[in-house]
Amino acid sequence: MFCSDMTFDATINPVAYEGGEAVFIDTEYDTWNMDPVALEKAFELYPDVRLVVMAHLYGTPGKIRELQDVCSRHNALLVEDAAESFGATYRGIQTGMFGTESIISFNGNKIVTGSSGGMLLTDSEEDAHKARKWSTQSRENAPWYQHEELGFNYRMSNIVAGVIRGQLPYLEEHRLQKKAIYERYREGLKDLPVRMNPYDAEASEPNFWLSCLLIDRDAMCRQVRGEQDALYIPEHGKSCPTEILEAIASIHAEGRPIWKPMHMQPIYRMHPFVTANGSGRARSNAYIDEGRCPDVGADIFERGLCLPSDNKMTPDQQDRIIEVIHRCFA
Ligand SMILES: *Cc1c(COP(=O)(O)O)cnc(C)c1O
């Protein structure tokens, strides 16, 4: 299966549960999602693949029309991981409506939450029935507990469902609060050598789940990341994600690095990885040290970070974060 490379591991795990092999597809700079050009290249390399899983990262719709076109040219089905993008729209249509199957998450950190749980979206009634059956221990339609295939316990509890349903009317309100946070950051940081996570303002309206930053290449101080820790050398007029995240933590707020791309994860190091220029995998760190990244995902991971984005954050709290980031570049 072809899968988004820069995403949360949860996008990929089900592929392994089902005995599949994930081939990772590089990211594009315009929306930070699966690159349709790299996807096309992947079909040249692996023409037998029939399934593509793409995630809409940080609530920003990916290039879904282009991805759909590539998939239909190659007779492949598209699955959307809309876990982070509930309420985001692409040409007026909500993410989660484009895939043959899609999912939305109600995990504790998402824009609408029941503390946990999620939703499967499909237009196929047969698939809906199957998912409902498998998720509730695969009981056959019989007067007793009759089992003809393997079942799972993925049922959502009635209490969680109630909490989620109670929040659904507030989705657009949450989205607008998140958007205001994104715009306040953009305004407050506009004099720094950084930019916000981008989106296609003509085609899409994100849900702005997380506000993220990308530091300009020539404004990066030296930063080295091992498998589990990071070091940097502070430099006048420059900064890096590690320095900014430490500064944010020092005022008891929480930022995060960008999702570390799957092709850089030890668990997936043997898996194929396809970039837009068609090259297979390459160990990225050596290139980063020379200041040239062979792939987009490694570059965004190197220079990007997620900012505190809770919709209950006050303007004063946000101003403090903006001030702390300014100090990193002093
Ligand atoms: C949160 C998240 C998931 C997982 O959702 P759960 O409801 O926790 O299983 C999947 N994919 C992405 C991209 C996510 O951010």
Side-chain angles (χ1 to χ4, degrees), residues 259-270:
W259 297 124
K260 181 173 176 175
M262 290 299 128
H263 78 277
M264 300 170 73
Q265 300 285 358
I267 184 174
Y268 294 123
R269 71 189 176 284
M270 304 309 281

Side-chain angles (χ1 to χ4, degrees), residues 99-118:
T100 314
E101 320 277 334
S102 308
I103 64 97
I104 284 169
S105 170
F106 298 119
N107 186 44
N109 58 354
K110 301 302 197 292
I111 194 160
V112 159
T113 174
S115 80
S116 69

Side-chain angles (χ1 to χ4, degrees), residues 96-157:
M97 300 286 284
F98 299 93
T100 314
E101 320 277 334
S102 308
I103 64 97
I104 284 169
S105 170
F106 298 119
N107 186 44
N109 58 354
K110 301 302 197 292
I111 194 160
V112 159
T113 174
S115 80
S116 69
M119 202 154 62
L120 175 75
L121 310 178
T122 178
D123 286 334
S124 158
E125 199 174 4
E126 188 189 345
D127 291 355
H129 284 316
K130 266 193 182 158
R132 200 173 282 125
K133 178 182 164 190
W134 288 336
S135 69
T136 53
Q137 310 287 21
S138 284
R139 283 175 62 186
E140 299 297 328
N141 188 16
W144 44 82
Y145 284 77
Q146 174 87 0
H147 300 287
E148 298 177 6
E149 58 181 335
L150 188 63
F152 302 87
N153 185 9
Y154 284 155
R155 146 198 312 106
M156 180 188 288
S157 84

Side-chain angles (χ1 to χ4, degrees), residues 54-66:
M54 69 82 62
H56 301 280
L57 220 62
Y58 301 128
T60 301
K63 297 186 173 178
I64 194 75
R65 284 288 179 229
E66 289 93 324

Side-chain angles (χ1 to χ4, degrees), residues 141-214:
N141 188 16
W144 44 82
Y145 284 77
Q146 174 87 0
H147 300 287
E148 298 177 6
E149 58 181 335
L150 188 63
F152 302 87
N153 185 9
Y154 284 155
R155 146 198 312 106
M156 180 188 288
S157 84
N158 50 359
I159 294 172
V160 166
V163 172
I164 293 165
R165 292 197 60 188
Q167 272 178 58
L168 287 181
Y170 300 94
L171 172 59
E172 185 58 12
E173 184 181 322
H174 289 184
R175 200 187 72 79
L176 293 173
Q177 290 164 342
K178 294 274 194 184
K179 183 174 185 175
I181 287 167
Y182 178 94
E183 283 173 348
R184 195 178 184 86
Y185 275 130
R186 186 167 60 187
E187 187 59 26
L189 300 168
K190 69 177 180 206
D191 55 330
L192 293 178
V194 300
R195 56 210 70 198
M196 301 296 293
N197 47 329
Y199 63 98
D200 179 351
E202 257 165 44
S204 67
E205 184 62 28
N207 71 4
F208 300 95
W209 178 56
L210 287 193
S211 290
C212 305
L213 269 192
L214 190 68

